[in-house]
Amino acid sequence: MRVLVVEDERRLSDNIARALRESAGYAVDIATDGAQGFYLAESNAYDLIILDLMLPKLDGQSLLVRYRKRGHETPVLVLSARDEKESVVKLLNAGADDYIAKPFDLGEFLARAKALVRRGAGQHSPVISIGDLQLDTVSRSVRRGNKEVALAPMEYRVLEYLGHRPRAVVSKTELLEHLYDYNWEKFSNVIEVYISGLRRKIDDCSDEKLIHTVRGHGYVLRPSR
Ligand code: CA
């Protein structure tokens, strides 16, 4: 999962980014003004956008209106100041999905962010079940049958992305776009390494395989019957 944070207060954007990376395992890009935010939002594949209202160059509301007009459906969580109640109503009517008033508790912020990422993928429960595989996106823990599976952080992130799109064919390019921020050089062979690690930990112990390769297209997470 990959998140764009559009916020000009450096300390706040750093705190938010750290929380999203460390407590949610998301890849995070930061834009410090509205124009850069709009550019990044248009040119990358995000699962959530965190949007401040008062921004240099292009304000949050104009950014959102322009972004929705182009047909983008990525969920948007607005950061508002206490005295911005009226703007919040306008923003929700302009296509924002939720808001949180500053100053906010990071725990509440993370819970809202995760809920929006889930809903953006059409998933309402925090626990994703595929056959007898259970992925708890709150505790970031995985079980196959009644056995806990220990995954490396990147393996978990690959599995979580596939779990948010069960039965869909997900290409290596899509995985790379959603699992790394813009500072990373992207090599598609690393995905093969994580997939083989996941197969070893999740599928080798069972007769029912859940991770399937669609040759030339990508991977699918689904029960085999
Ligand atoms: Ca601001």
Side-chain angles (χ1 to χ4, degrees):
M1 302 294 153
R2 183 176 178 188
V3 180
L4 173 64
V5 176
V6 191
E7 166 62 74
D8 57 327
E9 287 166 53
R10 203 49 205 248
R11 246 183 57 191
L12 182 57
S13 63
D14 284 349
N15 282 342
I16 289 176
R18 192 179 320 114
L20 290 167
R21 287 186 184 118
E22 290 173 7
S23 305
Y26 296 160
V28 183
D29 293 333
I30 298 176
T32 51
D33 67 61
Q36 188 196 17
F38 183 73
Y39 171 76
L40 287 177
E42 279 239 300
S43 38
N44 296 301
Y46 293 107
D47 299 291
L48 174 67
I49 295 173
I50 312 290
L51 182 62
D52 184 31
L53 290 184
M54 298 278 282
L55 289 164
K57 293 187 186 169
L58 178 69
D59 67 90
Q61 182 168 343
S62 307
L63 189 164
L64 178 68
V65 169
R66 217 182 268 188
Y67 184 68
R68 288 288 185 243
K69 257 195 194 141
R70 302 274 189 110
H72 300 294
E73 295 190 332
T74 299
V76 172
L77 172 59
V78 166
L79 307 179
S80 73
R82 287 227 174 275
D83 52 358
E84 290 174 326
K85 266 260 147 52
E86 271 176 48
S87 330
V88 163
V89 173
K90 272 193 210 153
L91 272 146
L92 290 170
N93 286 331
D97 297 273
D98 196 5
Y99 79 97
I100 188 163
K102 294 181 199 175
F104 49 78
D105 171 67
L106 268 183
E108 183 187 346
F109 166 79
L110 280 170
R112 286 177 187 275
K114 283 186 168 189
L116 283 182
V117 167
R118 282 201 300 272
R119 295 212 298 268
Q123 190 89 39
H124 291 263
S125 165
V127 180
I128 298 168
S129 298
I130 315 276
D132 64 350
L133 177 79
Q134 289 213 317
L135 219 130
D136 186 328
T137 59
V138 174
S139 62
R140 287 193 282 160
S141 59
V142 176
R143 303 183 76 84
R144 180 86 207 253
N146 47 24
K147 232 182 79 205
E148 183 103 18
V149 184
L151 297 180
M154 274 309 292
E155 289 171 345
Y156 174 81
R157 289 172 57 187
V158 170
L159 187 68
E160 185 184 65
Y161 190 82
L162 294 173
H164 275 86
R165 281 150 188 77
R167 295 171 191 279
V169 180
V170 177
S171 69
K172 278 185 227 169
T173 310
E174 183 176 343
L175 283 167
L176 288 169
E177 278 173 356
H178 285 268
L179 298 178
Y180 291 93
D181 61 47
Y182 58 42
N183 293 314
W184 284 81
E185 281 242 48
K186 293 162 190 172
F187 301 108
S188 65
N189 56 350
V190 303
I191 298 295
E192 288 159 33
V193 174
Y194 298 132
I195 292 283
S196 78
L198 281 171
R199 283 205 162 107
R200 190 159 34 78
K201 292 175 181 177
I202 281 167
D203 275 349
D204 280 3
C205 55
S206 173
D207 287 340
E208 190 187 15
K209 307 302 174 201
L210 300 177
I211 301 169
H212 307 268
T213 301
V214 182
R215 211 160 289 283
H217 294 280
Y219 306 100
V220 184
L221 186 64
R222 62 167 167 76
S224 56
R225 47 182 181 262

